[in-house]
Amino acid sequence: MNELVIKNATFITSAATAKQFISPDKPMIAVCGKSNVGKSSFINMLANRKKLAKTSSEPGRTRLVNYFDFGEFILADLPGYGFARVAKSEKQKWARTLDDFFKDKRNISHVFMLVDCRHNPTEDDLQMLEFLHYHILPFTVVLTKADKLSKMKLKEQIKTIATKTCLGEGNLIATSSETGYGKQEILQKIADVLDTAERIQEGEFSEENENNLCEKA
């Protein structure tokens, strides 16, 4: 696929329950991560818009699945997890929403799991990774807020986070919504995902090959 250019990303709808989830007619990429990791800022960076996804200084703001049309694909912004100052019942509700969303794997082409590069992965992050592995969902770990670290410290953190998540350093992409750092690498990853989705749709891959792709992602 040629270089991906996102021209006019738009908000579609929000879903509070599984019945409200949409079944897209094009590839869907999900964005997940801990509360306050910078999901909204990441989405706005990709969209070249400052206010497509609403940002907030208050963690735990995203409690719905928010869908955006990015032209060649649908982006689903999932509720943030791991926010301490939320009632247990609310946390359980978010967990059910995530569970229900990921049940229909056929609708999900890829998952971007966001982790703050300044900190080591939390227990919630590691549980999310285990969940993605268990369900054989193709994913990429995106490190946010790279502008907050020096180049040397960022390099050290990439190595540390790769070790703690049992992933190769090549499976992590460092980004900054403030400077645009890593944006082109993310766009290239999306282009590769869309290319693979198209080939699968055309029957170029069998189900066995598709599962192999997921395991390697």
Side-chain angles (χ1 to χ4, degrees), residues 40-41 43-45 47-55 177:
S40 296
S41 296
I43 292 168
N44 289 337
M45 176 184 73
N48 297 311
R49 291 181 59 183
K50 292 184 178 180
K51 297 182 180 179
L52 177 64
K54 294 180 180 179
T55 59
S177 60

Side-chain angles (χ1 to χ4, degrees), residues 8-24:
N8 187 29
T10 57
F11 172 74
I12 302 173
T13 189
S14 296
T17 65
K19 289 182 180 179
Q20 296 174 333
F21 293 164
I22 68 173
S23 296

Side-chain angles (χ1 to χ4, degrees), residues 10 16 33 39 52 66 75 77 80 105 112 117 121 129 151 182 210 214:
T10 57
K39 289 190 291 94
L52 177 64
N66 293 312
L75 187 146
D77 178 20
K105 296 191 294 184
F112 284 134
C117 73
L129 280 171
K151 288 183 179 180
E210 185 179 344
C214 292

Side-chain angles (χ1 to χ4, degrees), residues 33-35 79-86 91 94 122 124:
K34 193 170 179 287
S35 294
Y81 53 77
F83 183 44
R85 297 201 308 273
V86 169
K91 287 184 180 179
W94 294 356
T122 64
D124 289 315

Side-chain angles (χ1 to χ4, degrees), residues 112 140-144 169-175 182 185-186 189:
F112 284 134
T140 300
V141 172
V142 177
L143 305 182
T144 61
E169 291 181 38
N171 291 332
L172 279 62
I173 302 177
T175 66
E185 197 172 347
I186 293 291
K189 183 65 183 180

